[in-house]
Amino acid sequence: MKKPLRLIAILLVVIIVAAAAWLLKIHANSDALWKIVSEQCVPNQQQRHDPAPCLEVNLEKHFVVFKDAKGPLHTLVMPTEEITGIESPAIQKPDAPNYLYDAWLERDRLKKMAEKPLNDRYLGLAVNSWYGRSQNQLHIHLACLRPDVYQTLSQRDGLIGDSWQPLGVTLKGHDYLAMKIPAATFEKQSPFTLLNNYVQQHGDDIAKYGLAVTLTENGEFVLLANRLKVADLNLGSAGEILDYGCALQK
């Protein structure tokens, strides 16, 4: 084997080993969130009408809201049932709750935590891929967008269509797919389903995808999806486009 090819092979092995070690590390305590939901928040709500340590437990709509310790403006919306993540067949069932839409409706709770009024356009939802998450309980991050992501999406707004297409520029150095949907569609159809339809058409695995949602100036929603690509150090962590400190409010 020639020297350059040998170096490339060694580099690929190092990347794969590092990625495997990272996955083992981040999944080491992967049931922590589910324990909080199932052993604390839901029982406390049922027995004492107190959602603690969650901020809210909505038994009718099957979700909880939890203040994440990472950053002052960062909440998680999670099912009250045990659902591992984006790859779970449970979220693709016709009668499954529209967890992402329910999470968006919880944004006022986050906005009240801010020092200054927050425009809805500054906010985003994100779910990480199986490879890019640390917990095996579906959890939807709600936080502000990173300022650079907000600026890029504002500039690309007119170029994003109503079906999945490459965004055309990278976010955090990673490739994303993007599509727009009207507010009425978001209310009625889960973005998980829209992404899964695309993934199935391409014979792919939705476990490799992260998914994010944000708002346009015209009141439409932009869906963003990034796929696992180890060579680009992209684990499908859509949460990378969020800023838990919300520099945009300043």
Side-chain angles (χ1 to χ4, degrees), residues 143-191:
C144 291
L145 297 172
R146 290 171 51 94
D148 56 319
V149 171
Y150 172 79
Q151 182 178 15
T152 299
L153 292 177
S154 296
Q155 293 170 346
R156 304 293 296 180
D157 188 2
L159 302 175
I160 300 174
D162 59 2
S163 61
W164 289 108
Q165 298 291 337
L167 180 61
V169 294
T170 61
L171 301 176
K172 288 284 290 175
H174 297 147
D175 294 324
Y176 277 79
L177 298 169
M179 70 176 291
K180 279 183 185 175
I181 57 173
T185 299
F186 187 22
E187 181 179 1
K188 296 176 182 178
Q189 188 170 21
S190 170

Side-chain angles (χ1 to χ4, degrees), residues 142-241:
L142 172 60
C144 291
L145 297 172
R146 290 171 51 94
D148 56 319
V149 171
Y150 172 79
Q151 182 178 15
T152 299
L153 292 177
S154 296
Q155 293 170 346
R156 304 293 296 180
D157 188 2
L159 302 175
I160 300 174
D162 59 2
S163 61
W164 289 108
Q165 298 291 337
L167 180 61
V169 294
T170 61
L171 301 176
K172 288 284 290 175
H174 297 147
D175 294 324
Y176 277 79
L177 298 169
M179 70 176 291
K180 279 183 185 175
I181 57 173
T185 299
F186 187 22
E187 181 179 1
K188 296 176 182 178
Q189 188 170 21
S190 170
F192 289 128
T193 300
L194 294 172
L195 178 59
N196 192 56
N197 291 342
Y198 171 87
V199 169
Q200 293 296 319
Q201 290 168 8
H202 290 77
D204 208 345
D205 181 2
I206 197 170
K208 297 178 179 178
Y209 285 79
L211 178 62
V213 182
T214 188
L215 187 67
T216 72
E217 185 177 3
N218 295 324
E220 296 175 294
F221 288 87
V222 173
L223 310 186
L224 299 163
N226 65 330
R227 187 190 185 281
L228 171 77
K229 190 174 181 181
V230 176
D232 289 344
L233 301 180
N234 178 5
L235 296 180
S237 297
E240 68 183 5
I241 70 171

Side-chain angles (χ1 to χ4, degrees), residues 63 77 98-107 125 140 142:
F63 71 84
V77 173
N98 191 345
Y99 292 113
L100 282 161
Y101 182 72
D102 289 336
W104 181 253
L105 295 182
E106 290 296 319
R107 65 194 184 279
L125 306 170
I140 300 168
L142 172 60

Side-chain angles (χ1 to χ4, degrees), residues 22-139:
W22 172 251
L23 287 173
L24 288 173
K25 179 180 179 181
I26 65 176
H27 283 272
N29 189 27
S30 60
D31 61 347
L33 285 180
W34 172 238
K35 286 184 176 179
I36 291 173
V37 172
S38 63
E39 298 178 9
Q40 299 181 58
C41 299
V42 171
N44 283 343
Q45 179 65 33
Q46 292 173 328
Q47 298 167 18
R48 305 179 184 87
H49 303 288
D50 179 0
C54 287
L55 302 176
E56 178 185 356
V57 173
N58 191 322
L59 297 174
E60 181 180 356
K61 291 190 174 182
H62 305 276
F63 71 84
V64 307
V65 183
F66 181 71
K67 174 66 180 70
D68 195 279
K70 296 179 181 177
L73 294 177
H74 179 203
T75 58
L76 301 176
V77 173
M78 300 178 282
T80 53
E81 288 75 31
E82 188 173 12
I83 297 176
T84 56
I86 194 168
E87 77 287 350
S88 174
I91 62 176
Q92 300 297 340
K93 293 180 179 179
D95 60 346
N98 191 345
Y99 292 113
L100 282 161
Y101 182 72
D102 289 336
W104 181 253
L105 295 182
E106 290 296 319
R107 65 194 184 279
D108 284 346
R109 187 185 304 276
L110 182 78
K111 291 163 72 172
K112 290 177 182 177
M113 302 177 188
E115 298 174 0
K116 299 179 181 180
L118 281 181
N119 191 310
D120 282 349
R121 291 183 59 219
Y122 294 168
L123 304 178
L125 306 170
V127 176
N128 296 328
S129 75
W130 185 92
Y131 302 86
R133 70 178 190 239
S134 62
Q135 294 293 306
N136 283 332
Q137 173 65 8
L138 177 66
H139 54 287

